[in-house]
Amino acid sequence: MKKLIFGLLLLFLCGGLWAQSPSLIPTPESLEMFSGSFVLSSSTRINFQGNEAKENVAFLNKFLKQTCGFVLKSGSGKNSIRLISDSSFPKEGYRLTVNEDEIVLRGGEAGLFYAVNTLQQLIPNTGELKIPCLKIEDKPRFAYRGLMLDVGRYFFSVEYLKKFIDQMAHYKLNVFHWHLTEDGGWRIEIKKYPELTRKGAWRSSTQYTNEGALQDRVPHGGFYTQEEVKELVKYAAERHVEIIPEIEMPGHASAALAVFPELSCKGESLAVPLAWGVKNDIFCAGNEAVFAFLEDVLSEIIPLFPSEYIHIGGDEAPKKHWETCPKCQARIQTENLKDEHELQSYFIQRIERFVNSKGKRIIGWDEILEGGLAPNATVMSWRGEDGGIAAANMHHDVIMTPNTYLYFDYYQSDDCQNEPINIGGFLPLEKVYGYEPYTSKITKEQQKYIKGVQGNIWMEYIHSEAMVDYMTYPRALALAEIGWSQAEKKDYLDFQKRLVVRLTAMDREGVLFRIPEPLGWDKLKIENGMAVVDLVSPVEGAKIYYTTDGSNPAIKGNLYAGTLRLPLKLEGLDIKCIVTLPSGRSSGIYTLRSEK
Ligand code: ACM
Ligand code: ZN
């Protein structure tokens, strides 16, 4: 059956029928296609009702200017686009109708923005700007659809973060989790403690490896001023992306402890560490000065972020020093705690009370379950799904971000020689796409506690914007579909087909995504004693260059122009290819080996 579907897909591709089904990611809740099309041109007119609609006209015109070279003047009648903001729609829901004379977009606050982004995806990448007649009714499956960037281990510019948020918003992802403090750097200005960024935002070598001899000795650092934070929060909000800041405690705090060693149990002086990993030096839970410091920090953080949530970390906090620290042990006694896990719970609950008193709620990594969960906390399940399941059983909200599916710092291919070095793991696109947040291990009744999903990009080995792009995309588009689309609408083969078109748009926008292997690359067939390889470009407009003698296709490759029929050889086959995008950028070398 799978083979048959794949055959049909190829038939569609080759037969030019492709253009008829729109390549939307995430796929909408309902889509009806009709005959005919709307022809978009510089003489198309645009009109709107409501203030939100006005902002969205500006977004659409900005897109058209960049991609088609024109903007739409206002006007109505035949060949026009109308945007209507309609508060009777769910906040993120919308309807989009295209007929030969008119396109109408109608939606709630964020919904209209999403309708505009869907319309952008309906505009062909090349050729005549024909949009097929159709009707889309759409809304998200999950309220929380996030991506996390660890800017603590490696600093990224505000300009890059804006580009990152642009892509998120286009694919209907709506939460940017900003991991702002880490062992490797403190990245946000705190006016009361200028040393935190003057000293704690810098280190003497790029974190690359735990082996000191291999450190590059290139100093690295940077931080965001509060003005820059406000600017990014506003930029994201305009695109319906909420920013949740994370201030890590009690662990992953070496950068802060390098500035204020007296806040650790041992009080010994430290440098901002050059090697990543779980550190034994963490905030002392017995020292009142630690809580005063963290409350001061949070008092500056909270007003900067309109989000209901503050992420307080909570993961990977070794209790080694707490076990021998007189202050921590005294706290265990006075608070009648059983052990150091209960001491961590005391720590988090005390911070939760403070955050709650400021009208906000906390999110923490799933370690906050250990020693007793803070009463109002939302749990981010990262060590698989177990923490999420336990929290849902306790009627706590959950964000599923399991490292078994959604860690985008893991390898995308098992040909690791051919991938940039990274932390390990293996999460290819198909595995990510297959993730179902409503695990069978929770009851239907408990599903309501699963608020959504998030992909995490940790920077132990990611030290450039190019590599963030490479690790994030296209997996973030699979995440977008997990978060937005109804489970029964998901279909990996169909997703791959839509991705072919979406990646061309990403290439045009300069996003340096990992170029997938050609479709059909893993489907070598043997027919009449010949090896048959049928390939489809993974990106519309891209070219495939191949060799069959094991040589480098980037140097000696033949342009793929149709099915390959190769004589079987005693020594087996060694087919290699690269994919070259319309922008000129090429993939790594993909290798298909068959045994004799
Ligand atoms: C984590 O990956 N330590 C949350
Ligand atoms: Zn201590």
Side-chain angles (χ1 to χ4, degrees):
M1 185 63 190
K2 259 194 165 158
K3 269 193 186 142
L4 178 68
I5 295 172
F6 194 74
L8 285 174
L9 167 66
L10 292 181
L11 203 67
F12 264 67
L13 290 172
C14 302
L17 294 172
W18 184 275
Q20 287 187 1
S21 51
S23 298
L24 301 174
I25 295 178
T27 200
E29 189 173 62
S30 122
L31 164 67
E32 278 179 88
M33 302 287 297
F34 306 106
S35 62
S37 55
F38 178 99
V39 181
L40 178 72
S41 76
S42 57
S43 51
T44 300
R45 293 291 175 257
I46 194 160
N47 62 86
F48 66 89
Q49 289 169 21
N51 262 344
E52 274 132 25
K54 186 176 175 182
E55 291 157 19
N56 285 304
V57 168
F59 276 120
L60 182 58
N61 266 334
K62 188 171 171 219
F63 173 84
L64 290 173
K65 177 96 187 138
Q66 279 164 356
T67 56
C68 309
F70 59 79
V71 294
L72 304 182
K73 297 201 180 80
S74 56
S76 54
K78 256 189 159 196
N79 196 252
S80 64
I81 300 177
R82 177 194 300 253
L83 279 75
I84 305 163
S85 86
D86 184 339
S87 57
S88 72
F89 274 66
K91 189 171 159 267
E92 297 186 296
Y94 69 92
R95 181 186 305 136
L96 169 57
T97 51
V98 180
N99 64 44
E100 289 187 344
D101 293 334
E102 193 183 32
I103 296 179
V104 181
L105 299 86
R106 183 186 280 272
E109 201 184 310
L112 199 55
F113 175 80
Y114 291 142
V116 164
N117 279 277
T118 299
L119 176 60
Q120 290 172 7
Q121 294 191 8
L122 290 170
I123 299 170
N125 286 323
T126 53
E128 221 187 337
L129 303 180
K130 275 183 164 177
I131 301 169
C133 292
L134 52 73
K135 180 176 177 191
I136 291 171
E137 299 267 2
D138 205 7
K139 62 176 182 324
R141 181 179 183 207
F142 290 101
Y144 185 115
R145 307 177 301 279
L147 277 177
M148 185 218 70
L149 281 191
D150 162 17
V151 301
R153 289 194 179 84
Y154 202 81
F155 176 76
F156 291 88
S157 66
V158 171
E159 195 188 345
Y160 179 70
L161 299 183
K162 285 182 177 172
K163 280 199 245 169
F164 192 82
I165 285 168
D166 285 343
Q167 291 299 325
M168 286 184 68
H170 183 62
Y171 291 100
K172 303 182 173 73
L173 294 166
N174 66 349
V175 181
F176 175 61
H177 169 178
W178 203 4
H179 185 81
L180 281 162
T181 69
E182 245 310 327
D183 297 310
W186 183 283
R187 302 274 177 242
I188 185 164
E189 176 190 26
I190 300 297
K191 291 186 193 288
K192 184 159 184 184
Y193 301 110
E195 290 293 286
L196 268 176
T197 42
R198 202 188 62 76
K199 189 170 166 200
W202 305 93
R203 58 177 188 261
S204 61
S205 180
T206 305
Q207 271 186 332
Y208 185 69
T209 171
N210 282 333
E211 290 167 55
L214 297 180
Q215 285 285 350
D216 61 12
R217 302 291 153 192
V218 176
H220 176 75
F223 67 93
Y224 308 99
T225 65
Q226 293 196 1
E227 283 311 305
E228 286 172 324
V229 168
K230 284 184 211 160
E231 178 193 327
L232 194 70
V233 165
K234 179 169 176 285
Y235 185 89
E238 285 163 1
R239 287 152 183 80
H240 303 278
V241 172
E242 175 178 324
I243 302 189
I244 298 181
E246 179 178 353
I247 304 296
E248 264 273 21
M249 61 190 81
H252 287 296
S254 305
L257 297 176
V259 181
F260 300 117
E262 65 276 17
L263 301 182
S264 72
C265 291
K266 289 188 173 291
E268 290 165 0
S269 74
L270 304 160
V272 177
L274 301 184
W276 58 267
V278 174
K279 310 289 179 194
N280 287 324
D281 284 299
I282 66 173
F283 287 120
C284 174
N287 184 347
E288 280 306 293
V290 165
F291 293 95
F293 168 76
L294 289 172
E295 289 180 8
D296 285 342
V297 166
L298 290 168
S299 295
E300 291 196 32
I301 294 288
I302 285 168
L304 293 172
F305 295 92
S307 172
E308 182 186 1
Y309 295 104
I310 301 293
H311 200 303
I312 50 74
D315 62 317
E316 297 181 325
K319 310 298 181 296
K320 186 165 180 258
H321 293 337
W322 286 6
E323 281 162 15
T324 54
C325 168
K327 289 191 184 118
C328 284
Q329 291 305 312
R331 179 83 76 194
I332 287 176
Q333 294 291 317
T334 53
E335 295 294 330
N336 252 328
L337 305 172
K338 199 167 82 212
D339 56 18
E340 288 72 24
H341 291 295
E342 288 200 0
L343 182 57
Q344 165 141 337
S345 174
Y346 163 87
F347 193 117
I348 300 294
Q349 292 197 34
R350 187 163 163 182
I351 294 293
E352 180 183 60
R353 279 196 298 280
F354 180 76
V355 171
N356 287 168
S357 77
K358 303 279 181 187
K360 304 274 186 184
R361 300 171 63 192
I362 65 161
I363 304 186
W365 299 110
D366 58 47
E367 284 93 331
I368 66 169
L369 282 151
E370 293 160 11
L373 187 53
N376 307 308
T378 295
V379 172
M380 205 165 250
S381 189
W382 74 276
R383 295 175 299 178
E385 296 174 284
D386 290 353
I389 294 163
N393 281 333
M394 294 160 74
H395 299 180
H396 280 249
D397 288 347
V398 171
I399 311 299
M400 283 295 194
T401 171
N403 58 359
T404 39
Y405 288 91
L406 299 179
Y407 265 41
F408 297 164
D409 52 338
Y410 288 11
Y411 278 98
Q412 302 181 73
S413 156
D414 52 5
D415 182 5
C416 297
Q417 302 295 326
N418 197 30
E419 295 289 318
I421 185 168
N422 63 49
I423 198 155
F426 177 44
L427 287 174
L429 185 62
E430 184 167 9
K431 171 123 196 234
V432 171
Y433 187 82
Y435 182 57
E436 168 48 48
Y438 287 161
T439 152
S440 57
K441 294 192 191 141
I442 58 167
T443 64
K444 254 197 145 33
E445 177 55 28
Q446 286 155 348
Q447 287 177 354
K448 64 173 180 278
Y449 297 108
I450 313 285
K451 297 298 172 193
V453 284
Q454 179 173 287
N456 292 337
I457 303 125
W458 298 102
M459 306 305 179
E460 283 92 342
Y461 289 89
I462 303 180
H463 299 155
S464 67
E465 294 170 2
M467 195 165 162
V468 176
D469 279 7
Y470 185 92
M471 300 306 281
T472 305
Y473 312 108
R475 291 185 289 196
L477 276 59
L479 174 78
E481 192 140 314
I482 297 165
W484 181 277
S485 306
Q486 297 302 315
E488 67 276 11
K489 290 269 168 187
K490 279 176 63 191
D491 173 339
Y492 184 62
L493 205 57
D494 186 58
F495 172 76
Q496 276 185 303
K497 182 182 93 173
R498 288 179 275 123
L499 192 61
V500 168
V501 178
R502 295 277 53 84
L503 290 180
T504 303
M506 271 203 168
D507 183 42
R508 182 182 62 214
E509 287 158 23
V511 179
L512 304 176
F513 55 87
R514 180 183 186 275
I515 302 168
E517 290 79 356
L519 283 78
W521 188 241
D522 55 347
K523 304 274 190 313
L524 183 107
K525 284 176 292 190
I526 308 293
E527 277 175 17
N528 303 327
M530 304 283 270
V532 178
V533 186
D534 254 327
L535 301 179
V536 172
S537 170
V539 181
E540 187 184 45
K543 294 186 166 61
I544 303 168
Y545 295 93
Y546 70 95
T547 57
T548 55
D549 60 0
S551 63
N552 183 342
I555 299 168
K556 294 198 167 172
N558 302 300
L559 177 64
Y560 177 84
T563 309
L564 301 180
R565 290 177 196 282
L566 306 167
L568 292 173
K569 288 188 199 157
L570 224 51
E571 65 271 25
L573 287 169
D574 190 356
I575 309 169
K576 293 184 190 296
C577 83
I578 58 163
V579 177
T580 302
L581 301 180
S583 66
R585 185 166 70 90
S586 290
S587 69
I589 297 170
Y590 301 136
T591 302
L592 187 64
R593 257 186 217 103
S594 79
E595 299 308 318
K596 60 183 175 180

